[in-house]
């Protein structure tokens, strides 16, 4: 094989040498890079570059490997005619026209065979391209084959002449091919769509428009083939564009005011330049530079018109004109905004002017009314002004001229007009005789003069509120005079007077009357009161003041209790007057102070009375017992039970035992037992200690009748005592059940209409509710626990709650107890 296509040969000695010239094989290789490569033969694989080759012109074929016919004559390929020297020079001059070279003008010897023949298409295929074949012979090839495609299509519902698919949406004709005119790329010769594709897919084809735009853009850099000069293009700016540019530049330059006065030194050129804003740097290239022009290139053409100074001056004039237009536009916009602003100001000033005119008119009318009042208040006036007429004038001012009435100084106006009339109105007034005199007229003036925004009730408000000043300076002197002459024991008239004025008089004035006038008089009277000599009970002239004074009377209670305690030192329970004097104070004193007073002064006297009581079943004197039981509502149940346990039941049980030991009549004993039990109230009988004492008496009687010691036994005594015991126990049980039912009903009635949060949700809440009902303090002990349970104080008792059970602290251990027993122990 010869490598003459890669290496040239020397004509003299035939020595092969490398040639760097472009050969025909290289051209064909470049024009047809996808040609079929030459397969290496066995000889080439064995000998490499030294393998012999029959012909240098052999090229890879498209049809595969085939043998050459060496017997055929030699054929030559025409390379064209060589032109003369003059024609070649004219061709070089015509290169400036820059005519596009068409693909057909390329010589055939420089075109690869694959491009000449149109690729791998055979002549039969080329003849069919671009044409259309009738559908009549569709699938006719099956007559020469064994395929069953047509039969399968017909079985599936295919109808010849229609498209495939459920709705026959498939194409009917086969896909057509369109032959390209030249050998360029796809789309180089316009649209390549066939008639069938245009029918099946009727869409707008923009390839032609794109081709026209491409040719138009392509011709811009080419020289005009007609040889004419290219027209200059001018850029214009309208006034609206300049205005828009000015607005945008104003918005952008607004936040850069601080940088507009920065000194900038430019050292990028040959000389140092100084700018006074960054905006000048952006325009520095617009100024013509003094640097020499660059030498023209080899192919560049000299400029025919180059005047940089003139261009700079023209550009400067244009910039100045643009700035003037922009500045004029800004000034015009500013003037328009100013016009709009002034129009709004004129409208506002007109509204203010109308309002002021209306205010002036109203003030003039108010002034006329005030002057009329002053004229009628003169001493010699025929029609003097009365208090009712003056109130109507102020009502008119308040209704029709409310703003002016609020802005005016009502204090001075009232002092000048109303005060003289008010003094004349109350000149002959006696508050204790006619307590309601003037309440209506004062209530009317309260609505007219009182300041609605007055929040405090101190004496400092006199300078800002006309009504308060009126009451303090006109009404209050009459009250002081009448209180100075008033006797505290005659409290009815004074209490009625203050009750009738309590809703009219300001709060701070009423407080001043009660604290500074009434209370000192009462205190002085209490100090002079003697419960042993005075026939008038103290509660008759102290208690009427409770609705008005309430807690103000607390300082009087302590001296009253001391005087009562001194009076009770020589008292005996047989004297019932003490109860009449103390009973009204039970609900006035606090529960603690009342209980302490009773325990100190009454309970010891009652205990002495019970000690003097002699229990004799045959001849019983009950006076001493009645004196004690009569105080049941005055002293607490726990105190009364303590008295009975200490001074009554020991003697009573002793008498019972001695009676049972002397062969008694058990019917008389039963009557005696029931008679003493009926002397106590249900509340006392319900107490656990009293129950225990009576149950002890029943046990003594049962033991007496059940014992065999003794002589004669009364017939039926044992049955009677057993029946009595059973009956009494059943009564106790029924009473307890009734009490529990009654408490449940009371709780249910209290729960009606109450919030769900107030209903006790657990045992602790129930204890809290009971403590509130009986005024017992129930609170946790901070930092104290027993076996992990929180300790509480219930009155003076320490308890804790465990699984719904209350445990009370005993001497050595914790004892469970009921809720009712806990309440009794706390009391």
């Amino acid at each position: 094989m010869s490598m003459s296509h890669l290496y040239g040969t020397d004509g003299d000695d035939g020595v092969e040498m490398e040639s760097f010239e472009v050969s025909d094989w290289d051209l064909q290789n470049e024009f047809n890079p996808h040609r079929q490569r030459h397969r290496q033969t066995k000889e080439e694989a064995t000998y490499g570059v030294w393998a012999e080759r029959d012909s240098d012109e052999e090229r890879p074929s498209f049809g595969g490997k085939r043998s050459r016919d060496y017997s055929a004559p030699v054929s030559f390929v025409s390379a064209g005619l060589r032109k003369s020297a003059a024609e070649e020079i004219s061709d070089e001059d015509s290169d400036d026209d820059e005519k596009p070279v068409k693909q057909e003008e390329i010589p055939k010897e420089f075109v690869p065979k694959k491009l000449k023949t149109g690729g791998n298409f055979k002549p039969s295929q080329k003849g069919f391209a671009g044409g259309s074949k009738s559908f009549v012979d569709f699938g006719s090839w099956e007559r020469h084959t064994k395929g069953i495609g047509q039969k399968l299509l017909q079985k599936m519902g295919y109808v010849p002449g229609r498209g495939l698919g459920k709705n026959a949406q498939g194409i009917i004709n086969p896909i057509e091919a369109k032959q390209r005119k030249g050998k360029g790329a796809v789309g180089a010769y316009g649209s390549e769509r066939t008639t069938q594709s245009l029918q099946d897919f009727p869409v707008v084809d923009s390839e032609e428009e794109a081709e026209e735009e491409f040719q138009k853009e392509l011709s811009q850099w080419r020289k005009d083939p007609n040889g004419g000069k290219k027209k200059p293009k001018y850029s214009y700016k309208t006034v609206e564009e300049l205005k828009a540019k000015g607005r945008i530049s104003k918005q952008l330059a607004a936040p850069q005011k601080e940088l507009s006065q920065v000194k900038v030194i430019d050292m990028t050129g040959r000389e140092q330049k100084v700018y006074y804003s960054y905006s000048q740097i952006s325009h520095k290239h617009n100024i013509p530079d003094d640097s020499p022009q660059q030498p023209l290139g080899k192919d560049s053409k000299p400029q025919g018109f180059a005047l940089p100074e003139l261009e700079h001056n023209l550009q400067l004039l244009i910039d100045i004109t643009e700035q003037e237009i922009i500045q004029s536009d800004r000034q015009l916009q500013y003037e328009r905004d100013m016009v709009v602003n002034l129009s709004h100001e004129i409208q506002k000033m007109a509204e203010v002017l109308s309002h002021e005119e209306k205010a002036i008119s109203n003030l003039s009318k108010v002034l006329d009314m005030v002057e009329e009042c002053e004229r009628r208040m003169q001493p010699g006036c025929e029609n003097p002004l009365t208090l009712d007429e003056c109130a109507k004038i102020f009502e008119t001012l308040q209704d029709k001229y409310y703003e002016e009435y609020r802005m005016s100084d009502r204090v001075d106006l009232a002092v000048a007009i109303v005060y003289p009339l008010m003094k004349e109105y109350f000149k002959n007034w006696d508050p204790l005789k006619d307590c309601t005199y003037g309440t209506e007229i004062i209530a009317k003036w309260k609505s007219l003069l009182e300041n609605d925004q007055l929040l405090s009730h101190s004496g400092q408000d006199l300078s800002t509120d006309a009504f308060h000043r009126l009451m303090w300076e006109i009404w209050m002197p009459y009250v002081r005079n009448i209180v100075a002459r008033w006797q505290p024991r005659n409290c009815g008239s004074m209490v009625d007077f203050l009750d009738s004025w309590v809703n009219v008089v300001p709060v701070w004035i009423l407080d001043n009357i009660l604290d500074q006038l009434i209370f000192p008089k009462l205190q002085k009277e209490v100090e002079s009161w003697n419960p042993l000599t005075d026939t008038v009970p103290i509660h008759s002239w102290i208690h009427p003041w409770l609705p008005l004074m309430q807690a103000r009377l607390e300082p009087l209670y302590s001296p009253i209790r001391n005087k009562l305690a001194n009076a009770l030192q020589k008292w005996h329970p047989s004297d019932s007057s003490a109860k009449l004097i103390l009973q009204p104070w039970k609900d006035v004193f606090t529960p603690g102070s009342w209980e302490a007073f009773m325990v100190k002064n009454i309970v010891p006297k009652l205990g002495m009375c019970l000690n003097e009581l002699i229990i004799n079943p045959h001849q019983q004197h009950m006076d001493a017992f009645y004196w004690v039981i009569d105080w049941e509502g005055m002293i607490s149940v726990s105190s009364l039970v303590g008295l009975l346990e200490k001074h009554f039941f020991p003697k009573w049980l002793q008498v019972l035992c001695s009676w049972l030991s002397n062969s008694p009549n058990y019917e008389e004993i039963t009557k005696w037992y029931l008679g003493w039990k009926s002397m106590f109230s249900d509340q006392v009988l319900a107490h656990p200690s009293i129950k225990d004492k009576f149950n002890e008496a029943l046990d003594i009687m049962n033991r007496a009748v059940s014992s065999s010691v003794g002589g004669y036994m009364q017939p039926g005594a044992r049955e009677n005592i057993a029946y009595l015991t059973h009956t009494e126990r059943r009564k106790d049980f029924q009473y307890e059940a009734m009490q529990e039912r009654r408490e449940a009903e009371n709780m249910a009635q209290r729960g009606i209409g109450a919030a769900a949060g107030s209903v006790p949700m657990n045992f602790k809440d129930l204890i809290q509710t009971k403590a509130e009902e009986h005024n017992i303090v129930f609170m946790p002990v901070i930092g104290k626990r027993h076996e992990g349970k929180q300790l509480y104080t219930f009155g003076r008792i320490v308890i804790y709650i465990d699984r719904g059970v209350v445990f009370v602290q005993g001497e050595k251990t914790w004892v469970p107890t009921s809720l009712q027993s806990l309440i009794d122990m706390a009391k």
Side-chain angles (χ1 to χ4, degrees):
M1 179 179 179
S2 176
M3 299 296 292
S4 60
H5 64 287
L6 295 176
Y7 300 96
T9 57
D10 192 356
D12 298 335
D13 51 2
V15 177
E16 293 183 355
M17 46 190 265
E18 186 175 358
S19 176
F20 293 97
E21 296 179 356
V22 180
S23 62
D24 296 341
W25 188 88
D26 296 328
L27 292 175
Q28 293 179 6
N29 184 44
E30 292 298 327
F31 276 104
N32 192 10
H34 301 290
R35 71 188 186 285
Q36 184 175 0
R37 299 296 180 181
H38 172 68
R39 288 188 178 183
Q40 193 177 24
T41 61
K42 185 176 181 180
E43 185 177 0
E44 291 175 351
T46 304
Y47 298 102
V49 296
W50 288 278
E52 292 184 358
R53 192 174 180 181
D54 295 338
S55 177
D56 294 337
E57 296 179 358
E58 183 179 356
R59 295 290 183 268
S61 63
F62 295 96
K65 193 173 183 180
R66 58 183 180 179
S67 61
R68 294 179 60 86
D69 187 7
Y70 295 100
S71 62
V74 178
S75 60
F76 296 90
V77 180
S78 176
L81 300 176
R82 182 174 179 81
K83 298 180 181 181
S84 60
E87 292 177 352
E88 291 180 356
I89 295 172
S90 63
D91 291 338
E92 292 178 358
D93 296 337
S94 64
D95 289 338
D96 298 334
D97 297 342
E98 296 180 0
K99 280 189 175 183
V101 181
K102 297 182 179 180
Q103 294 287 345
E104 289 80 354
E105 295 178 1
I106 301 175
K108 294 183 179 180
E109 60 270 13
F110 295 99
V111 181
K113 293 180 180 180
K114 182 177 180 180
L115 297 177
K116 292 179 182 179
T117 58
N120 295 327
F121 289 102
K122 296 181 180 180
S124 60
Q125 294 173 334
K126 293 180 181 179
F128 179 75
S132 62
K133 199 170 184 180
S134 176
F135 190 77
V136 179
D137 297 334
F138 177 73
S140 59
W141 66 84
E142 287 195 351
R143 68 170 65 101
H144 305 293
T145 64
K146 296 180 180 180
I148 58 172
Q150 186 73 12
K151 296 178 181 180
L152 292 175
L153 290 174
Q154 291 177 357
K155 286 182 179 180
M156 288 184 286
Y158 171 71
V159 179
R162 297 180 63 182
L164 296 176
K166 181 179 180 180
N167 300 322
Q169 68 272 18
I171 60 175
I172 301 175
N173 298 324
I175 298 176
E176 297 180 359
K178 184 176 181 181
Q179 185 178 7
R180 196 175 299 154
K181 297 178 182 180
K183 299 177 181 179
V186 176
Y189 304 99
S191 177
E192 297 183 3
R193 297 187 62 181
T194 61
T195 305
Q196 176 188 353
S197 66
L198 293 174
Q199 293 176 357
D200 295 337
F201 306 100
V203 296
V204 179
D205 192 357
S206 60
E207 294 181 358
E208 297 180 358
E209 298 179 359
E211 179 65 22
E212 292 179 0
E213 293 179 359
F214 173 72
Q215 293 296 338
K216 184 177 179 181
E217 293 177 357
L218 190 64
S219 62
Q220 290 181 359
W221 59 272
R222 291 181 178 177
K223 189 175 181 180
D224 190 2
N226 298 329
K229 293 183 179 179
K230 192 174 182 180
K231 294 182 179 180
K233 293 184 178 180
Y234 299 98
S235 61
Y236 300 95
K237 287 185 180 180
T238 62
V239 178
E240 299 298 331
E241 292 177 356
L242 288 176
K243 292 179 180 179
K245 180 182 177 182
R247 296 190 188 101
I248 295 173
S249 63
K250 182 179 180 181
Q251 294 176 0
L252 294 178
Q256 299 179 356
K257 292 181 179 179
E258 298 180 358
L259 303 178
S260 60
Q261 302 298 329
V262 177
K263 181 179 180 180
V264 182
I265 301 175
D266 184 11
M267 303 183 67
T268 58
R270 293 182 302 169
E271 297 179 357
Q272 176 179 332
K273 297 181 180 180
V274 179
Y275 301 98
Y276 293 96
S277 65
Y278 287 108
S279 60
Q280 294 181 1
I281 300 178
S282 60
H283 300 291
K284 70 176 184 176
H285 296 291
N286 297 334
I287 303 174
D289 196 0
D290 297 337
S291 60
Q293 298 181 357
Q294 298 291 334
L296 296 176
K298 186 176 181 180
D299 297 333
S300 60
K301 295 181 179 181
Q303 297 182 1
F305 184 80
L307 295 175
E309 293 81 0
L310 180 59
E311 291 179 0
H312 169 66
N313 294 337
L314 291 176
Q315 186 64 35
L316 186 60
L317 291 175
I318 292 173
D319 294 341
I320 293 173
T321 306
E322 290 180 357
Q323 292 299 326
E324 291 179 354
I325 293 174
I326 292 173
Q327 190 65 25
S328 300
D329 178 63
R330 291 178 180 174
Q331 185 67 25
L332 178 62
Q333 187 64 32
Y334 172 77
E335 297 295 339
R336 290 175 179 174
D337 295 341
M338 184 61 68
V339 169
V340 174
N341 189 17
L342 291 177
S343 63
H344 287 295
E345 290 292 335
I346 291 173
Q347 185 178 0
K348 290 182 180 179
M349 294 304 296
E351 295 177 357
V352 172
L353 182 61
S354 63
H355 180 72
E356 294 294 336
E357 290 178 353
K358 183 179 178 180
I360 292 172
S361 176
N362 293 338
L363 286 175
S364 62
K365 294 179 181 179
V366 171
L367 183 61
D368 294 339
M369 296 175 68
V370 173
E371 291 177 352
E372 178 67 19
C373 292
E374 292 180 353
R375 185 185 62 80
R376 294 179 62 182
M377 290 181 63
Q378 298 298 328
C381 181
E382 299 179 356
N383 186 14
L385 184 66
T386 62
L387 194 60
D388 294 334
E389 293 177 352
C390 185
K392 292 180 180 179
I393 292 174
F394 272 79
E395 287 179 356
T396 304
L397 292 175
Q398 191 175 20
D399 294 338
K400 294 184 178 180
Y401 310 104
Y402 182 77
E403 294 295 334
E404 292 76 10
Y405 179 74
R406 283 298 183 191
M407 291 187 300
S408 62
D409 192 355
R410 288 174 288 172
V411 177
D412 296 339
L413 188 63
V415 169
I417 298 176
V418 183
Y419 286 14
L421 298 177
M422 194 68 69
K423 288 182 180 180
E424 184 68 23
Y425 184 79
F426 287 106
K427 182 171 63 174
N428 299 322
W429 176 48
D430 188 359
L432 297 181
K433 294 182 180 180
D434 190 2
C435 59
T436 60
Y437 178 79
T439 54
E440 296 180 359
I441 193 67
I442 293 297
K444 184 185 294 185
W445 281 106
K446 180 180 180 180
S447 62
L448 294 174
L449 298 178
E450 190 173 22
N451 191 353
D452 296 337
Q453 298 179 355
L454 187 64
L455 300 180
S456 62
H457 301 287
S458 61
Q460 298 176 356
D461 300 326
L462 294 177
S463 60
T464 58
D465 192 88
F467 177 73
H468 289 200
R469 183 175 176 182
L470 172 68
M471 296 299 293
W472 182 258
E473 296 181 359
I474 305 300
W475 183 83
M476 194 64 183
Y478 294 97
V479 177
R480 291 194 189 99
N481 294 332
I482 198 63
V483 171
R485 302 191 308 266
W486 167 68
Q487 294 297 327
R489 300 198 181 191
N490 299 325
C491 62
S493 58
M494 183 61 68
V495 171
D496 294 339
F497 163 69
L498 293 179
D499 284 336
S500 61
W501 285 87
V502 68
N503 296 324
V504 180
V505 179
V507 177
W508 66 274
I509 294 180
L510 182 62
D511 294 341
N512 182 270
I513 294 173
L514 296 176
D515 294 337
Q516 304 296 330
L517 301 178
I518 302 298
F519 182 79
K521 300 278 287 186
L522 292 176
Q523 189 176 19
K524 184 178 180 181
E525 191 68 22
V526 168
E527 291 176 356
S528 63
W529 171 70
N530 188 358
L532 298 176
T533 58
D534 288 338
T535 58
V536 179
I538 189 172
H539 65 270
S540 62
W541 48 274
I542 292 293
H543 288 184
W545 291 104
L546 288 173
L548 286 173
M549 304 187 70
Q550 296 179 357
R552 291 185 177 92
L553 296 176
E554 285 288 343
L556 300 179
Y557 297 155
S558 180
I560 291 174
R561 284 194 296 266
N562 293 332
K563 289 179 177 292
L564 291 174
N566 295 329
L568 290 173
Q569 288 181 359
K570 298 180 181 181
W571 169 78
H572 191 269
S574 60
D575 185 6
S576 60
S577 62
K579 183 180 177 182
L580 297 176
I581 295 175
L582 295 177
Q583 190 173 8
W585 293 98
K586 180 182 178 182
D587 297 331
V588 177
F589 295 158
T590 60
S593 61
W594 174 258
E595 183 65 20
F597 181 81
M598 289 288 106
V599 170
K600 182 179 179 181
N601 301 286
I602 302 298
V603 173
K605 303 286 186 179
L606 297 179
M608 293 172 60
C609 186
L610 284 178
N611 284 331
E612 298 174 356
L613 176 65
I614 299 174
I615 300 175
N616 185 3
H618 303 287
Q619 188 179 2
Q620 183 67 53
H621 297 282
M622 301 294 295
D623 294 338
F625 183 80
Y626 290 148
W627 296 338
V628 174
I629 292 300
D630 194 29
W631 285 88
E632 180 181 351
M634 300 292 290
I635 62 177
S636 63
V637 177
S638 59
S639 299
L640 182 59
V641 170
L643 286 173
L644 294 174
E645 285 181 334
K646 185 176 180 180
H647 304 285
F648 173 75
F649 278 105
K651 295 189 295 183
W652 186 76
L653 291 175
Q654 185 179 1
V655 171
L656 178 62
C657 292
S658 61
W659 192 4
L660 289 173
S661 62
N662 296 321
S663 300
N665 187 353
Y666 285 96
E667 292 182 1
E668 294 180 359
I669 292 177
T670 303
K671 293 179 181 179
W672 181 78
Y673 171 84
L674 295 176
W676 276 108
K677 191 173 182 180
S678 63
M679 301 298 293
F680 299 98
S681 64
D682 294 340
Q683 188 177 4
V684 175
L685 292 175
H687 196 276
S689 299
I690 304 299
K691 286 182 181 180
D692 294 340
K693 294 300 180 181
F694 281 104
N695 289 332
E696 185 179 353
L698 290 174
D699 294 338
I700 293 173
M701 288 188 288
N702 285 322
R703 287 196 301 268
V705 298
S706 61
S707 63
S708 59
V709 180
Y712 174 75
M713 176 63 65
Q714 182 180 354
R718 183 178 298 175
E719 290 78 5
N720 292 335
I721 296 300
Y723 178 74
L724 176 63
T725 303
H726 176 71
T727 304
E728 293 299 319
R729 300 282 172 80
R730 186 176 61 182
K731 286 182 179 180
D732 293 341
F733 177 76
Q734 290 177 354
Y735 180 79
E736 291 179 358
M738 185 178 63
Q739 287 294 108
E740 293 178 357
R741 191 182 307 110
R742 188 177 301 169
E743 290 180 0
E745 291 177 357
N746 292 335
M747 291 179 62
Q749 291 178 359
R750 288 195 300 267
I752 296 176
S758 61
V759 178
M761 300 302 295
N762 50 32
F763 193 62
K764 178 186 172 183
D765 295 339
L766 180 60
I767 295 175
Q768 179 69 31
T769 304
K770 290 293 183 180
E772 292 176 357
E773 292 177 359
H774 295 84
N775 295 324
I776 299 174
V777 177
F778 176 68
M779 60 183 296
V781 181
I782 300 174
K784 298 293 184 180
R785 290 181 177 272
H786 176 71
E787 295 180 355
K789 305 296 189 301
Q790 175 66 48
L791 296 182
Y792 300 91
T793 57
F794 192 83
R796 296 182 180 180
I797 305 172
V798 180
I799 64 171
Y800 76 89
I801 305 170
D802 186 12
R803 291 175 290 184
V805 180
V806 180
F807 290 85
V808 180
Q809 187 179 15
E811 296 179 358
K812 296 181 179 180
T813 182
W814 293 84
V815 181
T817 184
S818 63
L819 183 57
Q820 186 62 38
S821 300
L822 179 65
I823 295 172
D824 295 336
M825 286 187 290
K827 289 184 176 180

